[in-house]
Amino acid sequence: MFKPHVTVACVVHAQGQFLVVEETINGKALWNQPAGHLEADETLVEAASRELWEETGISATPDAFVRMHQWIAPDKTPFLRFLFAVDLAQVCATEPHDDDIDRCLWVSAEEILTASNLRSPLVAESIRAWQTGERYPLSTIGEFNWPFR
């Protein structure tokens, strides 16, 4: 049975800088946006807020939906990644609550786009999507729960 991995990610922007999380995978420090898997009984927006808090310590709700990416990883794992924008007034301190995150960094778009240590091509593609300026209201994602909450 085909079951793609459903993930969420946040492009967090403040004062011309973007927030990345750094995690060590197979001995290499890799950058990603705050991101993770959708869990049972949560909406995509709730998942994005939860992952943002777990990986950075920032408590915020996404401002807008940016794009959905479909990606097949080199190991043939299929992903559907829902990308959200979080615009903060200023760069703020971070405190990861997820043991998998080594640290958080505020960096420029150019640093991300030219980095050789991205967790996947979706990290740079997410910055490019954010740079287009396209934003969609969170209501674009129809979230229905039964019974309704």
Side-chain angles (χ1 to χ4, degrees):
M1 174 186 284
F2 174 71
K3 286 189 178 182
H5 291 245
V6 177
T7 61
V8 295
C10 293
V11 172
V12 182
H13 175 261
Q15 299 175 305
Q17 299 287 298
F18 294 89
L19 186 61
V20 294
V21 297
E22 186 176 88
E23 54 193 329
T24 304
I25 299 175
N26 297 324
K28 185 173 182 183
L30 300 176
W31 287 0
N32 197 1
Q33 277 92 22
H37 287 83
L38 176 69
E39 293 183 359
D41 199 31
E42 71 181 349
T43 67
L44 291 165
V45 173
E46 289 168 346
S49 295
R50 175 185 52 76
E51 288 291 349
L52 178 63
W53 185 83
E54 288 176 0
E55 295 192 355
T56 71
I58 295 172
S59 182
T61 300
D63 299 303
F65 175 64
V66 178
R67 188 170 291 165
M68 192 274 296
H69 290 108
Q70 181 178 0
W71 181 60
I72 300 173
D75 68 358
K76 305 296 183 206
T77 303
F79 287 89
L80 295 177
R81 188 180 201 237
F82 291 82
L83 181 64
F84 296 91
V86 176
D87 292 303
L88 302 176
Q90 58 189 14
V91 170
C92 59
T94 58
E95 183 181 343
H97 299 280
D98 184 331
D99 291 339
D100 292 336
I101 304 302
D102 299 328
R103 64 183 179 151
C104 301
L105 302 162
W106 288 96
V107 298
S108 69
E110 189 61 26
E111 287 175 278
I112 296 169
L113 295 173
T114 61
S116 62
N117 64 327
L118 302 181
R119 178 147 184 202
S120 80
L122 292 177
V123 180
E125 187 56 33
S126 294
I127 294 300
R128 286 190 282 275
W130 186 93
Q131 288 175 324
T132 68
E134 292 179 14
R135 304 286 184 278
Y136 303 94
L138 296 178
S139 62
T140 301
I141 302 170
E143 297 174 336
F144 296 94
N145 296 302
W146 190 261
F148 293 107
R149 328 186 214 177

